[in-house]
């Protein structure tokens, strides 16, 4: 299984980015997906999660109302729309696959390589 993130980059505070995570497997719809981020010197942080069908979504407290997770099971892709970005959102963003939704990174079995998001003030 391969997960490949894209869409990261440099953006000014208040701007937006849309991250994508493409999965190589045909059973993509059988798994929950999550987005995590890790800033230098900090632990990996849960950002958002989505159920297998996409009908349920979950967000970390620091991103509620600004980030939106979605998925397209026909395209084997999960997205993270990020709006109203602040410098505190600067981190490497990872997508991950899990049997069920959870906020705990240890419960996810496959991870992408990460994509850098940098928000300038």
């Amino acid at each position: 299984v391969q997960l490949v993130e894209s869409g990261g980059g440099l953006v000014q505070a208040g701007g937006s980015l849309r991250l994508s995570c493409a999965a190589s497997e045909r059973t993509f719809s059988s798994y929950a997906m999550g987005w995590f981020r890790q800033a230098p010197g900090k632990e990996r942080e849960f950002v958002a999660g989505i159920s297998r069908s996409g009908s349920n979504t979950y967000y970390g407290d620091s991103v509620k109302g600004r980030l939106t997770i979605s998925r397209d099971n026909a395209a084997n892709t999960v997205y993270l729309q990020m709006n109203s970005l602040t410098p505190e959102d600067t981190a490497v963003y990872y997508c991950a696959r899990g049997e069920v939704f959870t906020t705990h990174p240890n419960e996810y079995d496959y991870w992408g390589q990460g994509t850098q998001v940098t928000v300038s003030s």
Side-chain angles (χ1 to χ4, degrees):
V1 175
Q2 284 190 315
L3 301 175
V4 180
E5 301 101 334
S6 61
L10 174 64
V11 63
Q12 288 188 333
S16 299
L17 283 174
R18 189 193 196 204
L19 306 184
S20 300
C21 171
S24 63
E25 61 180 336
R26 294 182 178 181
T27 56
F28 176 74
S29 61
S30 298
Y31 297 93
M33 296 297 294
W35 283 98
F36 292 78
R37 67 186 181 186
Q38 189 164 20
K42 295 187 177 181
E43 293 186 353
R44 192 162 293 192
E45 175 190 14
F46 168 75
V47 174
I50 191 165
S51 61
R52 297 165 184 169
S53 66
S55 59
N56 294 300
T57 57
Y58 314 86
Y59 297 95
D61 289 340
S62 63
V63 305
K64 282 180 181 177
R66 300 187 299 115
L67 275 57
T68 303
I69 188 172
S70 62
R71 68 189 297 164
D72 182 345
N73 286 340
N76 292 350
T77 302
V78 61
Y79 305 97
L80 186 67
Q81 177 66 43
M82 304 191 295
N83 299 326
S84 301
L85 288 164
T86 74
E88 289 68 37
D89 295 313
T90 296
V92 177
Y93 284 71
Y94 300 89
C95 67
R97 187 195 84 167
E99 293 286 340
V100 294
F101 166 74
T102 174
T103 62
H104 301 291
N106 291 342
E107 299 297 319
Y108 289 81
D109 55 0
Y110 285 94
W111 292 77
Q113 83 287 352
T115 185
Q116 176 70 47
V117 171
T118 303
V119 184
S120 63
S121 57

